[in-house]
Amino acid sequence: MSSTSKKDTGHAESDGVPVVFLSGMLADQRMWHPAIAAYDDIDDPAKPAKPAKPALKPVFCELFDQDTVADMARAVLETAPDRFALVGMSMGGYAAFEILRQAPERISHLMLVNTRATGDSEAVRRRRLLLSRIVAGKTPFVAVNDGMLDEMLHPDNRNDAALVSLLTAMGDECGVKVFARQNHAVATRPDSIADLGNIAVPCSVVVGTHDRIISLESHREMADAIPGATYQEVPGAGHYVPLEQPVEFARSLAALLVR
């Protein structure tokens, strides 16, 4: 699979607000397609004193070739428009924090989805890096297994064949080398808690009510620490809000972009 490049920027030449979408581990731009498709059909959240819901200009940045979040951020900034809204899910949220450190003036809006601001403890970091070595030594590579799906998906979505097939396909196509690089980037990411109070753009924190990977409490604490941020728990979703509840995700994005 290709890495961040000009050809990965979706509809970047169309009219609308540029929105950079950063996926989680072992996922590509297909993570966002259902929500983007739903965006045009949702009700306009605008109030009389606010502008109408803007059109989207999606920019997809695939983070496959970098093994630190700093390198991920630089790759995105080399490709992205001069100023853009930024949506980061899980690992994509870790890259989003680094983008804010490197070029805060380029961000117009921020959405943090199923992610956290804290870094890994030393013990968790060691386990992650050990996992990379273990996985690299096994064949064939299994990107998605039943245990992961049990943890990541809302129970109502666990047996959604199309959803499970998509998650499996994205992971398999990324492969073991992408997993190792992304896992290293996640393990070695810096703690971003101290940066939350400096976020000066409209921000939304969104999490599925059944996310068992990153707690609701950590999302609430993150939102509380960001000036003016909104916080939303999405029913019927786990760790993959954009795929599990694409219409609700689209509504949240529209509400953010009119702020």
Side-chain angles (χ1 to χ4, degrees):
M1 301 180 74
S2 60
S3 61
T4 304
S5 66
K6 292 294 183 183
K7 68 186 179 62
D8 287 320
T9 56
H11 304 287
E13 301 304 319
S14 64
D15 293 331
V17 174
V19 181
V20 170
F21 292 92
L22 303 180
S23 303
M25 289 183 65
L26 296 177
D28 57 36
Q29 63 175 265
R30 287 172 286 182
M31 175 67 62
W32 310 102
H33 288 177
I36 292 170
Y39 184 89
D40 288 338
D41 295 330
I42 61 174
D43 294 335
D44 196 321
K47 297 178 181 179
K50 293 185 176 181
K53 178 188 71 178
L56 293 186
K57 185 160 63 173
V59 180
F60 302 113
C61 295
E62 316 285 35
L63 303 175
F64 299 147
D65 295 336
Q66 305 81 25
D67 62 2
T68 69
V69 292
D71 286 342
M72 289 178 174
R74 283 188 284 270
V76 172
L77 290 168
E78 288 174 1
T79 301
D82 290 339
R83 189 165 169 82
F84 53 91
L86 181 58
V87 179
M89 177 204 153
S90 197
M91 180 195 74
Y94 310 150
F97 287 127
E98 185 62 31
I99 291 169
L100 283 165
R101 281 189 285 271
Q102 292 187 19
E105 73 284 355
R106 292 181 60 181
I107 311 304
S108 65
H109 299 76
L110 177 65
M111 178 178 277
L112 299 168
V113 188
N114 298 103
T115 192
R116 57 163 66 94
T118 54
D120 280 349
S121 67
E122 185 59 35
V124 171
R125 183 177 299 112
R126 285 197 301 269
R127 287 198 294 272
R128 283 193 194 275
L129 297 176
L130 175 60
L131 178 62
S132 290
R133 293 195 292 272
I134 293 172
V135 169
K138 290 185 175 181
T139 55
F141 173 62
V142 179
V144 176
N145 57 48
D146 287 342
M148 292 170 57
L149 293 171
D150 290 342
E151 289 291 310
M152 291 183 168
L153 295 176
H154 187 282
D156 291 347
N157 302 321
R158 176 61 183 85
N159 295 314
D160 182 327
L163 175 56
V164 171
S165 177
L166 174 58
L167 293 173
T168 302
M170 289 193 296
D172 287 347
E173 290 172 28
C174 283
V176 66
K177 292 182 179 179
V178 170
F179 169 77
R181 286 191 287 268
Q182 291 183 339
N183 197 45
H184 183 275
V186 169
T188 60
R189 73 188 187 278
D191 190 291
S192 298
I193 290 293
D195 299 316
L196 298 180
N198 298 324
I199 296 175
V201 297
C203 178
S204 295
V205 175
V206 178
V207 60
T209 56
H210 284 67
D211 189 340
R212 290 191 281 179
I213 304 301
I214 305 176
S215 71
L216 301 185
E217 180 182 10
S218 68
H219 285 87
R220 284 193 294 267
E221 291 174 350
M222 183 166 61
D224 287 344
I226 299 172
T230 61
Y231 172 71
Q232 181 181 4
E233 296 178 4
V234 179
H239 193 63
Y240 292 106
V241 170
L243 285 175
E244 295 183 79
Q245 294 295 332
V247 174
E248 191 58 37
F249 176 86
R251 291 193 183 107
S252 299
L253 179 58
L256 172 65
L257 294 179
V258 299
R259 287 171 56 191

